[in-house]
């Protein structure tokens, strides 16, 4: 016994409301995440970079401070260079591995996939095994339609097409076409 189509338990307006609430919550969390990242960045910078106090320092103390800052910049620059070199090496290695994979894949070509027509009976036999005798004759439940009835409904008129074009040209022809469309028997 076929079941009637199940209707959604949620109305369209309720779905729209839930969707808007989810989007609002996602935006809230995204904004909070941005604020958290900014505060984490400020905390990290405050921890790593101490504020400079240059007021009241003599010339030699300022020069010493500049040397210290210059040494720190050199250390950071070296670290950046090392990380960049590692990154470049890794990207080259990834590119080489991709090329190797493509070379290996090229030797074994995949055949193009084709659609395979399998009847419902054959599919059930494949799934359940040959021991089970299950038959799904879906065509037996279909209504039969006689072709003769449909051919009688549409009589085919064969005539000179030039006469038809001349008769249908102009406004009178359009009126005839409109009248013919109104009455299915022709007049």
């Amino acid at each position: 016994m076929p079941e009637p189509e199940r209707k959604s338990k949620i109305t369209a307006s309720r779905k729209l409301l839930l969707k808007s609430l989810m989007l609002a919550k996602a935006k809230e969390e995204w904004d909070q995440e941005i604020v958290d990242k900014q505060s984490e960045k400020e905390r990290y910078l405050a921890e790593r970079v101490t504020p400079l106090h240059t007021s009241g320092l003599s010339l030699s103390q300022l020069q010493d401070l500049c040397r210290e800052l210059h040494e720190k910049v050199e250390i950071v620059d070296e670290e950046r260079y090392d990380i960049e070199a590692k990154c470049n090496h890794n990207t080259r290695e990834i590119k080489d591995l991709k090329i190797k994979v493509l070379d290996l894949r090229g030797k074994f070509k995949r055949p193009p996939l084709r659609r395979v027509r399998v009847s419902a009976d054959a599919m059930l036999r494949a799934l359940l095994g040959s021991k089970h005798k299950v038959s799904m004759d879906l065509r037996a439940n279909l209504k039969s339609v006689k072709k003769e009835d449909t051919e009688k409904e549409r009589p085919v008129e064969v005539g000179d097409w030039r006469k038809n074009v001349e008769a249908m040209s102009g406004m009178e022809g359009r009126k005839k076409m409109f009248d013919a469309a109104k009455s299915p028997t022709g007049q």
Side-chain angles (χ1 to χ4, degrees), residues 19-144:
K19 190 176 183 180
S20 63
L21 288 173
M22 286 172 53
L23 285 172
K25 180 69 174 167
K27 182 164 177 17
E28 232 176 72
E29 289 179 4
W30 188 43
D31 292 341
Q32 183 62 38
E33 188 176 320
I34 290 172
V35 169
D36 290 345
K37 281 184 180 179
Q38 187 66 27
S39 63
E40 177 67 23
K41 182 179 177 182
E42 289 172 2
R43 185 193 62 77
Y44 179 79
L45 287 176
E47 180 182 302
R48 297 283 290 199
V49 180
T50 56
L52 292 176
H53 300 289
T54 56
S55 60
L57 294 178
S58 65
L59 184 61
S60 63
Q61 290 174 335
L62 285 174
Q63 288 175 345
D64 290 340
L65 181 64
C66 285
R67 284 189 199 104
E68 286 176 25
L69 291 175
H70 189 67
E71 287 173 6
K72 287 182 180 178
V73 167
E74 283 180 359
I75 292 170
V76 169
D77 204 27
E78 287 176 7
E79 288 175 1
R80 183 190 58 81
Y81 179 78
D82 291 343
I83 292 172
E84 190 176 336
K86 284 180 185 177
C87 185
N88 288 338
H89 175 72
N90 288 341
T91 53
R92 262 187 267 117
E93 192 173 337
I94 289 171
K95 192 184 288 185
D96 292 342
L97 289 173
K98 280 184 181 178
I99 290 171
K100 283 183 183 178
V101 167
L102 288 175
D103 287 345
L104 289 174
R105 196 180 289 169
K107 293 177 184 172
F108 307 104
K109 283 193 174 182
R110 291 185 192 168
L113 299 176
R114 296 185 197 107
R115 281 200 178 184
V116 179
R117 288 185 176 228
V118 178
S119 67
D121 292 333
M123 194 176 296
L124 282 173
R125 245 184 275 123
L127 290 172
L128 301 175
S130 60
K131 293 180 183 177
H132 300 284
K133 299 291 183 191
V134 179
S135 176
M136 286 187 63
D137 191 12
L138 299 174
R139 293 183 184 194
N141 298 333
L142 295 177
K143 230 183 197 182
S144 62

